[in-house]
């Protein structure tokens, strides 16, 4: 079990550029979550998918953010255009459908927008 | 006011001490989670519980649903336990159902254990 894999680990970009974060969930997991962590707001849920379908995107801050899950083994979170206030650590997590199944987190992508 | 409140925000202990971190919440929940975030940034799920008590090694988590309160205990603390401990809740499932992973987080407790 390779765990949840995120890439890149670090991303530094200039304001206005497009940023794409990637996530590979654990095989067999039905749910995939994108979280964001900042010093000011802590951890927040952005969006989650069930069987590749977005279920709740109420945490996505604005239209500049979009997320896709084209298949069970891959998801992307895109920010276009990026702004300095988007600087944060973005975590992907996955879990099985069963009740009491724990969340498994990736190592996160640290995004810095200058 | 946050739906999830943790105390203390910072905790310093000597190796071997018994540690308690508290979490209070203000809404109905389906489950409560305790997470550990290491200095390197990775997050690990320690416990998910909806009633009673769970134990794993030196870690014990308890929850009192009536009082809307949970505690995380660490027995015989060790410097490697130094981390941020985060309490998170899954809100009571809506009619359409929800995933246990749709979490609302506390602000975290920074634990430092000195040798």
């Amino acid at each position: 079990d390779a765990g949840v894999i995120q890439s890149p680990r670090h991303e530094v970009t200039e304001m206005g550029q497009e940023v794409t974060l990637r996530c590979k969930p654990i095989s067999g997991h039905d749910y995939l979550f994108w979280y964001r962590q900042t010093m000011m707001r802590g951890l927040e849920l952005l969006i989650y998918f069930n069987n590749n379908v977005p279920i709740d995107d109420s945490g996505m801050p604005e239209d500049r953010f979009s997320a896709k899950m084209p298949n069970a083994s891959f998801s992307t979170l895109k920010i276009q255009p990026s702004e300095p206030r988007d600087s944060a650590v973005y975590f992907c997590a996955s879990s099985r459908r069963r009740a009491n199944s724990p969340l498994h987190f990736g190592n996160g992508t640290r995004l810095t927008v200058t | 006011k946050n739906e999830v409140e943790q105390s203390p925000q910072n905790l310093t202990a000597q190796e071997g001490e018994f540690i308690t971190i508290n979490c209070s919440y203000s809404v109905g929940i389906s489950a409560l989670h305790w997470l550990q975030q290491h200095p390197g940034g990775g997050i690990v799920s320690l416990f998910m519980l909806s009633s009673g008590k769970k134990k794993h090694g030196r870690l014990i988590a308890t929850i009192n649903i009536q009082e809307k309160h949970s505690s995380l205990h660490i027995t015989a603390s060790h410097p490697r336990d130094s981390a941020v401990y985060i309490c998170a809740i899954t809100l009571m499932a809506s009619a359409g159902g929800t995933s246990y992973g749709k979490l609302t987080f506390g602000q975290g407790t920074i634990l430092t254990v000195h040798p």
Side-chain angles (χ1 to χ4, degrees), chain A residues 5-7 14 21 26-27 35 38 68 72 93 96-97 104 113-114:
Chain A
I5 299 172
Q6 290 187 247
S7 64
E14 291 183 348
L21 311 182
I26 293 173
S27 177
Y35 296 96
T38 62
K68 294 182 179 179
R96 293 187 186 278
R97 180 190 302 276
H104 296 261
V113 183
T114 60

Side-chain angles (χ1 to χ4, degrees), chain B:
Chain B
K1 187 178 184 299
N2 292 336
E3 290 173 322
V4 184
E5 296 281 350
Q6 287 185 236
S7 63
Q9 290 191 348
N10 288 279
L11 182 56
T12 300
Q14 290 297 125
E15 184 173 356
E17 287 185 357
F18 181 83
I19 288 165
T20 296
I21 300 171
N22 296 300
C23 176
S24 296
Y25 53 93
S26 56
V27 295
I29 66 170
S30 296
L32 183 140
H33 308 249
W34 283 102
L35 310 172
Q36 180 191 54
Q37 185 168 26
H38 286 285
I43 299 175
V44 175
S45 176
L46 298 175
F47 295 104
M48 184 171 77
L49 63 167
S50 54
S51 65
K53 176 179 172 179
K54 288 190 176 181
K55 184 176 188 292
H56 186 258
R58 296 179 294 106
L59 301 178
I60 303 166
T62 64
I63 188 168
N64 184 318
I65 296 294
Q66 286 72 32
E67 295 186 3
K68 292 186 168 59
H69 181 269
S70 175
S71 293
L72 176 68
H73 305 287
I74 305 175
T75 61
S77 59
H78 190 275
R80 65 174 175 267
D81 297 326
S82 298
V84 178
Y85 292 83
I86 303 168
C87 174
I89 59 173
T90 303
L91 299 180
M92 190 73 73
S94 62
T98 190
S99 163
Y100 281 95
K102 183 181 176 183
L103 303 181
T104 301
F105 298 89
Q107 75 275 31
T109 294
I110 302 171
L111 171 65
T112 304
V113 182
H114 293 294

